[in-house]
């Protein structure tokens, strides 16, 4: 279990008889000041920590971990696609549905029809669900608006979810699908999406830029143009890469020093090498793999062999991954991708923060954001073991208790 080093702050005194090898176990006490962790370590050394918290930790039968970071979600959207779920169970493929005007475009129609307040109202329950299962930072993409006003509306709603006390990082994903008004004119649409970007960035609505590089999405050349526009504004990039086929998406993200390449089921070993070279994180999305009944596994051994950090995220979206628990995504990553529970937890904390270009969270250390979760578990592997259930006793973000 020494591989857990650096991940688990420690256990309450009640569980100090935890499995041998948890060399870094402390008595789980911690303190914060102004939203950052001011002290971690034995309770006896606590300077001015809130005694209430110290008592809660020490007397709880639980473990503390860093707050979970969900580094890939589409959680702002209107409507749902339950009917499509039925059609896929009757044999329709995801691509068939997309090509016949359903899929992403049906969510685009619903999202365009909802005003900002309604979009926020429909998105709040999904954000609350992620938080109640341990998420304290959530990445949220646009990509169901596909015109300036509606992409802006989505990004504004994403920013407003910070009202829940969590960290929010926004990603501009106008290059998610071709809207009907640009049917057959993908290059013209990319021109328009590039034109909207600086205006949205000027309003403080964009933290990163993404694209769906796929046969049913955009070409590598169109993706490259989107990325060049991001680079011109100093914005980092990430990519929906090699999800259904190998278009060299992993290498394309790496060529722009991308924060991450996501999905990566069909990513080649050459792309893995390029990702390792660039420090690009591989974001595994086992929810979409599971729901689409995908069979191609991401090149996990290549990621491990080349030292590409692996993150795990929900990809919370109405089509391929209507998943509202990052802990459940961790379970799926272990079951489908054979990640160890330690790799899955690292993938939802340290590596997920890295996939967002953040270094002040995903780990418990002095000076980091005071984001942490107190779990009702006796062993950290339980986070990946239990399907469902409510394991989080309390969730703390930026020095405030959010659940
Ligand atoms: O089906 C949806 O609504 C989004 C699907 C999601 N977007 C993407 O580029 N790949 C996905 O799995
Ligand atoms: Fe996605």
């Amino acid at each position: 279990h020494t591989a857990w080093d650096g991940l688990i702050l420690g256990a309450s005194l009640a569980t100090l008889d935890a499995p041998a090898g948890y060399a870094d176990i402390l008595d789980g006490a911690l303190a914060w000041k102004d939203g950052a962790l001011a002290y971690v370590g034995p309770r006896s050394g606590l300077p001015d920590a809130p005694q209430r918290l110290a008592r809660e930790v020490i007397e709880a039968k639980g473990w503390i971990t860093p707050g979970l970071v969900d580094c890939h979600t589409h959680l702002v959207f209107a409507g749902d696609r339950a009917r499509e779920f039925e059609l896929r169970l009757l044999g329709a493929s995801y691509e068939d549905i997309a090509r016949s005007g359903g899929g992403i475009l049906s969510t685009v129609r619903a999202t365009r029809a909802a005003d900002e307040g309604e979009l926020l109202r429909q998105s709040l329950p999904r954000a609350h669900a992620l938080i109640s299962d341990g998420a304290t930072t959530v990445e949220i993409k646009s990509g169901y608006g596909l015109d300036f006003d509606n992409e802006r509306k989505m990004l504004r709603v994403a920013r407003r979810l910070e009202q829940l006390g969590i960290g929010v990082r926004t990603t501009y994903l106008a290059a998610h699908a071709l809207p009907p008004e640009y049917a057959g004119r993908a290059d013209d649409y990319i021109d328009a999406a590039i034109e909207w970007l600086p205006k949205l960035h000027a309003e403080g609505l964009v933290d990163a830029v993404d694209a769906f590089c796929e046969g049913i999405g955009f070409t590598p050349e169109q993706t490259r143009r989107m990325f060049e526009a991001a680079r011109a504004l100093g914005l980092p990039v990430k990519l929906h890469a090699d999800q259904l086929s190998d278009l060299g998406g992993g290498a394309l993200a790496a060529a722009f020093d991308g924060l991450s390449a996501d999905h990566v089921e069909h990513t080649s070993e050459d792309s893995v090498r390029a990702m390792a070279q660039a420090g690009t994180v591989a974001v595994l999305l086992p929810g979409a793999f599971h729901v689409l009944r995908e069979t191609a596994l991401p090149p996990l051994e290549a990621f491990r062999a080349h030292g590409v950090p692996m993150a795990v995220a929900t990809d919370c979206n109405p089509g391929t991954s209507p998943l509202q628990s990052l802990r459940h995504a961790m379970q799926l990553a272990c079951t489908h991708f054979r990640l160890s529970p330690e790799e899955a937890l690292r993938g939802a904390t340290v590596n997920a923060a890295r996939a967002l270009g953040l270094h002040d969270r995903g780990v418990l250390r002095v000076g980091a954001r005071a984001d942490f979760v107190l779990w009702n578990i006796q062993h950290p592997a339980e986070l990946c073991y239990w399907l469902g259930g409510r394991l989080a006793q309390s969730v703390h973000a930026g020095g405030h208790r959010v659940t």
Side-chain angles (χ1 to χ4, degrees):
H1 291 301
T2 51
W4 293 91
D5 285 355
L7 261 186
I8 308 293
L9 169 70
S12 69
L13 288 178
T15 54
L16 273 188
D17 57 351
Y22 284 75
D24 60 346
I25 279 184
L26 301 165
D27 67 7
L30 45 83
W32 69 75
K33 264 202 196 78
D34 307 327
L37 281 173
Y39 178 81
V40 292
R43 180 179 47 152
S44 53
L46 278 183
D48 53 353
Q51 289 310 317
R52 172 185 50 73
L53 174 72
R55 219 175 11 261
E56 178 186 345
V57 170
I58 300 307
E59 285 147 18
K61 291 196 177 314
W63 285 71
I64 296 173
T65 69
L68 304 185
V69 176
D70 197 346
C71 67
H72 183 133
T73 88
H74 306 250
L75 80 79
V76 169
F77 61 85
D80 68 67
R81 303 231 302 268
R83 177 66 189 123
E84 267 183 38
F85 174 65
E86 280 183 305
L87 291 176
R88 288 213 302 273
L89 290 171
L90 293 171
S93 79
Y94 181 74
E95 288 94 326
D96 296 341
I97 293 170
R99 288 200 166 91
S100 64
I104 293 175
L105 293 185
S106 64
T107 301
V108 169
R109 288 190 290 274
T111 302
R112 285 180 168 181
D115 65 21
E116 186 172 317
E118 175 59 17
L119 197 54
L120 177 64
R121 190 190 66 76
Q122 292 194 34
S123 304
L124 273 165
R126 293 186 282 267
H128 278 299
L130 291 176
I131 295 167
S132 68
D133 216 0
T136 54
T137 292
V138 179
E139 183 261 13
I140 303 174
K141 304 175 188 293
S142 67
Y144 291 118
L146 307 189
D147 62 33
F148 177 79
D149 291 337
N150 286 292
E151 286 291 297
R152 178 173 179 271
K153 176 176 71 179
M154 289 188 71
L155 292 166
R156 282 174 51 84
V157 168
R159 278 278 187 256
R160 288 175 67 178
L161 289 170
E162 285 170 352
Q163 72 188 27
L164 299 175
I166 57 170
V168 169
R169 299 296 284 175
T170 60
T171 300
Y172 180 63
L173 177 62
H176 192 202
L178 193 62
E181 59 272 22
Y182 279 92
R185 295 188 299 124
D187 281 323
D188 294 346
Y189 175 66
I190 291 294
D191 290 343
I194 286 171
E195 196 183 304
W196 306 331
L197 176 56
K199 297 171 191 166
L200 297 171
H201 180 43
E203 292 189 34
L205 292 175
V206 180
D207 296 320
V209 175
D210 189 352
F212 182 29
C213 184
E214 189 56 68
I216 57 170
F218 294 90
T219 66
E221 193 40 46
Q222 290 159 349
T223 300
R224 182 180 293 277
R225 290 206 293 124
M226 196 77 240
F227 282 3
E228 278 155 4
R231 184 155 55 180
L233 293 167
L235 286 169
V237 300
K238 42 180 61 250
L239 186 61
H240 281 69
D242 309 323
Q243 177 181 4
L244 307 173
S245 61
D246 177 8
L247 294 184
L252 180 54
F256 283 82
D257 295 323
L259 292 173
S260 69
D262 303 36
H263 285 287
V264 292
E265 276 90 344
H266 294 266
T267 292
S268 68
E269 181 138 19
D270 284 349
S271 285
V272 172
R273 281 193 198 91
M275 289 170 67
Q277 192 67 30
T280 299
V281 175
V283 176
L284 306 178
L285 302 172
F289 178 95
H290 176 77
V291 169
L292 293 178
R293 302 158 69 98
E294 175 60 70
T295 52
L297 285 173
L300 298 148
E301 283 316 316
F303 289 137
R304 293 188 179 104
H306 293 282
V308 174
M310 293 186 285
V312 175
T314 60
D315 192 15
C316 177
N317 76 70
T320 62
S321 190
L323 176 57
Q324 303 187 44
S325 160
L326 181 49
R327 219 176 43 71
H328 196 149
M330 290 161 59
Q331 205 282 344
L332 294 173
C334 294
T335 301
H336 287 301
F337 297 163
R338 315 293 294 174
L339 260 59
S340 69
E342 178 271 332
E343 284 179 318
L345 181 57
R346 190 175 300 279
T349 52
V350 181
N351 292 346
R354 186 167 167 176
L356 298 178
L358 298 174
H359 305 284
D360 66 344
R361 65 198 75 186
V363 63
L364 289 175
R365 70 162 175 269
V366 173
R369 261 174 66 95
D371 294 354
F372 56 91
V373 185
L374 178 55
W375 302 97
N376 283 319
I377 56 175
Q378 300 309 303
H379 189 291
E382 290 182 64
L383 296 175
C384 304
Y385 164 70
W386 294 105
L387 277 162
R390 185 176 163 73
L391 301 185
Q393 173 167 318
S394 59
V395 181
H396 302 253
H400 304 284
R401 180 169 179 161
V402 290
T403 60

